[in-house]
Amino acid sequence: MYYAQKKPVIIIDGTLYLYRSYFTYQYFKNDQENPYGAIYGILKTIKNILSKYYNSKKIIVMFDSSKKTFRNQIFNEYKKNRPKMPNELYIQIKPLFHILKEIGIKTLSIPGVEADDIIGSFAHKVEKSGEQVLIISNDKDMIQLLTKNISIFNTSNNTIITPKKIQEKYGIYPKEFIDLLALMGDKSDNIPGIPKIGIKTALFLLQKFSNIQNIYNNLEKIKFLSLRNANNVSNQLKIYKDTAFLSYKLAQININVPICINSDDIILKKISLYKLSNMIKEYNITQKKYL
């Protein structure tokens, strides 16, 4: 069991699992026909994580806020293709936060700051204090945060992602994932990237030049590389240079957000089953479907 003896600080990507849980369990409703699938899914994720990493006593769940971020200011189209939060999900947020507070699970959101930036900043703050971090997320954006002391647990396939695994799979370092997204774009976040440059071409360029700045420093060499349509690739890079560097800014997670708490502030005390039982009754969550 990974980290069985060590005790990593666990950071859960709450926004990702909030939406995932809502769509996975959207038909879960109580006797009053109120939805609770998102609540169920988040608590189930926490329970599963704690059962796998039972020695870890420091856990926090990070969420987006409803305010726009600096990315919206520099690129109005950022995440514009995402639909508005469904009302049936929105009405579950307040009770979810109440339940997490009652059972002792810390949460954190900062107005105008994305959860990714809070996660990245807290993870690096914790790492600097000498602790190991385990980020619970399936979001590829998180790959750029990997270090020897920061790992990711992918709940889709129950695997631990480390810098070594990224290097073996992609031939680039985790930090260069920012450059990869800048070149090929990211439809989920509406990051434009460079048209007609896909993952194979982007990886080829990064394996050759390491990062986007070096690519542009060696732009005239690209047309002579053993790369399919090398001349076209070189032209696309020239035409969309500003877009490439804008995409880099959009893709880069800010790890310098001031975080007012330390890892000692998120120590999980023994969860009160009495309180949890009362929460189940209060929100009329069918126990048969619960956890």
Side-chain angles (χ1 to χ4, degrees):
M1 182 182 295
Y2 191 80
Y3 282 148
Q5 301 305 319
K6 300 167 185 176
K7 299 180 181 181
V9 175
I10 295 175
I11 305 174
I12 297 178
D13 186 348
T15 299
L16 183 146
Y17 289 104
L18 185 70
Y19 276 89
R20 172 167 291 198
S21 299
Y22 168 73
F23 287 109
T24 302
Y25 306 109
Q26 61 182 309
Y27 301 111
F28 280 28
K29 294 185 178 181
N30 61 20
D31 294 342
Q32 284 77 45
E33 290 300 306
N34 293 320
Y36 67 86
I39 298 172
Y40 169 83
I42 289 281
L43 294 179
K44 184 178 180 180
T45 297
I46 291 172
K47 177 178 179 289
N48 288 343
I49 293 303
L50 290 177
S51 67
K52 286 180 173 67
Y53 306 102
Y54 52 87
N55 277 340
S56 296
K57 299 298 182 185
K58 297 179 179 181
I59 181 170
I60 189 167
V61 189
M62 308 287 199
F63 291 95
D64 284 336
S65 76
S66 59
K67 304 291 184 180
K68 288 188 176 181
T69 73
F70 78 92
R71 294 181 179 88
N72 301 106
Q73 294 172 1
I74 65 174
F75 186 56
N76 190 47
E77 301 295 310
Y78 180 68
K79 290 190 176 181
K80 199 170 183 179
N81 56 347
R82 292 197 181 184
K84 184 179 178 182
M85 178 183 286
N87 186 59
E88 287 202 339
L89 172 55
Y90 178 77
I91 62 176
Q92 296 182 63
I93 293 177
K94 187 175 180 179
L96 170 63
F97 275 56
H98 181 55
I99 290 172
L100 292 175
K101 182 179 179 181
E102 285 298 306
I103 62 177
I105 303 288
K106 297 286 186 180
T107 62
L108 182 62
S109 63
I110 300 174
V113 182
E114 283 191 58
D116 288 8
D117 299 317
I118 307 172
I119 291 169
S121 298
F122 189 67
H124 278 76
K125 180 178 182 178
V126 169
E127 183 187 33
K128 285 179 182 177
S129 70
E131 295 182 271
Q132 291 186 319
V133 178
L134 188 63
I135 298 172
I136 313 301
S137 180
N138 299 341
D139 190 346
K140 62 182 177 300
D141 295 351
M142 296 293 171
I143 290 173
Q144 64 186 269
L145 299 175
L146 291 171
T147 68
K148 65 178 182 179
N149 292 313
I150 300 176
S151 302
I152 298 169
F153 181 72
N154 186 322
T155 54
S156 292
N157 51 21
N158 291 323
T159 57
I160 296 289
I161 303 173
T162 63
K164 184 179 178 181
K165 288 185 178 180
I166 293 302
Q167 287 173 256
E168 291 173 349
K169 184 174 182 178
Y170 297 101
I172 61 175
Y173 293 98
K175 192 175 181 180
E176 293 163 2
F177 241 75
I178 312 170
D179 304 84
L180 180 65
L181 293 173
L183 290 170
M184 59 180 284
D186 185 357
K187 288 183 179 180
S188 65
D189 288 339
N190 214 28
I191 295 175
I194 299 177
K196 300 181 181 179
I197 289 188
I199 188 168
K200 288 184 179 179
T201 300
L203 285 173
F204 179 92
L205 293 171
L206 290 174
Q207 289 163 7
K208 186 75 175 176
F209 298 111
S210 298
N211 58 61
I212 197 169
Q213 185 62 63
N214 281 343
I215 289 172
Y216 277 97
N217 289 344
N218 294 276
L219 199 56
E220 295 306 315
K221 296 179 181 178
I222 290 175
K223 64 181 71 175
F224 302 109
L225 296 177
S226 57
L227 173 68
R228 186 180 179 184
N229 298 320
N231 195 53
N232 290 339
V233 170
S234 178
N235 289 334
Q236 288 293 97
L237 286 164
K238 287 178 183 177
I239 294 169
Y240 291 98
K241 180 178 180 179
D242 289 345
T243 303
F245 283 96
L246 170 64
S247 297
Y248 185 94
K249 289 180 182 178
L250 295 171
Q252 184 178 32
I253 292 175
N254 181 6
I255 61 171
N256 296 306
V257 176
I259 304 293
C260 61
I261 59 173
N262 298 304
S263 64
D264 287 343
D265 298 319
I266 63 170
I267 295 174
L268 179 64
K269 297 177 182 178
K270 186 176 181 181
I271 293 177
S272 170
L273 296 180
Y274 175 77
K275 280 188 177 181
L276 185 55
S277 178
N278 281 347
M279 291 296 100
I280 293 171
K281 291 176 183 177
E282 182 178 344
Y283 293 102
N284 194 16
I285 297 174
T286 307
Q287 293 196 47
K288 192 175 291 185
K289 291 181 181 177
Y290 191 84
L291 300 184

